[in-house]
Amino acid sequence: MTSDGTSAERPDEAIRLRTPRPASTLPAWMLDPPPPRRTLGVRVAQAFAALPGAGRLRRRWWAWQDRDRLYQRYPTTFKLVAMVVSWIVVMALVSLLYALYAQI
């Protein structure tokens, strides 16, 4: 920019056009591949989707998977309960070990 606000282009700042890419050397079957084959799993899934009520069942399954788990809803409570349960399990194992060694 010059002091009067206009841009003065220098000769070394000429606009350069991009050269086009060379033509692809890939074979025709790679450039335009055939459609994918219908596997057994795809055919079974399509047959299952065609059953009446399958859409409703699928939406219920998605809703069940997206639900909030208890450890997500109540993380602190879940941690406290898990600590108490693990303490009880450890005490039960120690008592069992003590009882087994007392018989020897």
Side-chain angles (χ1 to χ4, degrees), residues 8-27:
E9 291 186 20
R10 292 184 282 180
D12 58 334
E13 291 181 3
I15 298 174
R16 295 188 180 121
L17 298 176
R18 293 169 54 175
T19 57
R21 292 183 179 177
S24 175
T25 58
L26 293 174

Side-chain angles (χ1 to χ4, degrees), residues 2-102:
T2 59
S3 62
D4 61 350
T6 60
S7 64
E9 291 186 20
R10 292 184 282 180
D12 58 334
E13 291 181 3
I15 298 174
R16 295 188 180 121
L17 298 176
R18 293 169 54 175
T19 57
R21 292 183 179 177
S24 175
T25 58
L26 293 174
W29 65 271
M30 289 179 112
L31 292 173
D32 188 23
R37 294 182 181 168
R38 290 180 59 215
T39 62
L40 178 64
V42 170
R43 283 184 256 165
V44 168
Q46 288 176 344
F48 179 73
L51 293 174
R56 185 171 148 222
L57 182 64
R58 184 174 54 249
R59 285 188 295 276
R60 293 290 300 152
W61 174 252
W62 290 342
W64 185 79
Q65 284 182 329
D66 289 339
R67 76 190 191 286
D68 285 339
R69 310 306 199 272
L70 282 177
Y71 69 89
Q72 293 169 335
R73 268 190 272 171
Y74 309 107
T76 306
T77 305
F78 191 81
K79 289 174 188 174
L80 291 173
V81 169
M83 290 199 39
V84 169
V85 168
S86 63
W87 184 80
I88 291 171
V89 168
V90 167
M91 285 295 114
L93 290 174
V94 168
S95 299
L96 179 67
L97 191 64
Y98 180 72
L100 288 175
Y101 276 121

